[in-house]
Amino acid sequence: MTNETWALPDPHYQPEFYADVPMKRLIAWVIDTVLIVLIVILIVPFTAFTGLFFLPLLTFFVSFAYRVVTLSNGAATLGMRFTAIEFRNAHGARINSSEAFLHTLGYTLSFAIPIVQFGSIILMSTSERGQGLTDMALGTVALNRRARS
């Protein structure tokens, strides 16, 4: 990418925005996974327990909706909010609803293909901005949130 497309903190001059972000993303993923499982557990009785017959599909839809809604309403999932990180687009703004949908779609596709997800994890751990494949494709980045005054 050319420099004019990036309106984000430079990782060389402002490394504090990227400090520990890959580890925070992992912790956020674990928190989000637990929350999604809890939501699914709460939904199943309302399906007269027929949800147990299509549990993987139910979990898929709950996970997708959870991620899109939480990313749209604050550029971070609840796990990301807990770990104080958020997504920004290439212009430095919080991601919007369509970017949240596309990011969730990319995450879901990556997760469905283990070798792609593995590559994405390697990129998050080694790239200077800590971006995975979906982040690179969309121009998004996870940053440490600035302290609110």
Side-chain angles (χ1 to χ4, degrees):
M1 274 201 184
T2 60
N3 287 337
E4 66 266 10
T5 60
W6 291 99
L8 295 166
D10 187 297
H12 299 289
Y13 298 108
Q14 296 173 304
E16 63 275 8
F17 281 100
Y18 302 95
D20 302 320
V21 168
M23 182 55 68
K24 288 181 175 186
R25 285 180 84 163
L26 176 61
I27 294 167
W29 180 83
V30 170
I31 292 168
D32 291 329
T33 300
V34 169
L35 289 172
I36 290 164
V37 168
L38 290 174
I39 292 168
V40 169
I41 289 170
L42 289 172
I43 289 173
V44 167
F46 292 102
T47 67
F49 294 96
T50 59
L52 293 173
F53 293 110
F54 54 93
L55 195 59
L57 191 61
L58 177 64
T59 305
F60 167 79
F61 282 113
V62 168
S63 175
F64 199 92
Y66 168 86
R67 292 179 192 290
V68 171
V69 169
T70 56
L71 287 173
S72 294
N73 295 323
T77 63
L78 297 177
M80 292 172 72
R81 292 173 198 178
F82 180 79
T83 59
I85 56 177
E86 65 186 1
F87 279 118
R88 297 293 179 137
N89 63 24
H91 304 289
R94 289 175 149 197
I95 62 171
N96 59 35
S97 296
S98 61
E99 290 167 326
F101 177 83
L102 290 173
H103 198 280
T104 302
L105 181 63
Y107 162 80
T108 303
L109 292 173
S110 292
F111 203 80
I113 306 167
I115 191 73
V116 174
Q117 184 64 13
F118 181 72
S120 193
I121 291 167
I122 295 298
L123 286 171
M124 280 184 232
S125 301
T126 59
S127 65
E128 65 181 8
R129 294 182 190 272
Q131 294 172 291
L133 287 173
T134 300
D135 298 319
M136 289 182 173
L138 296 176
T140 57
V141 66
L143 298 173
N144 286 311
R145 282 191 315 214
R146 290 183 286 187
R148 308 251 193 259
S149 52

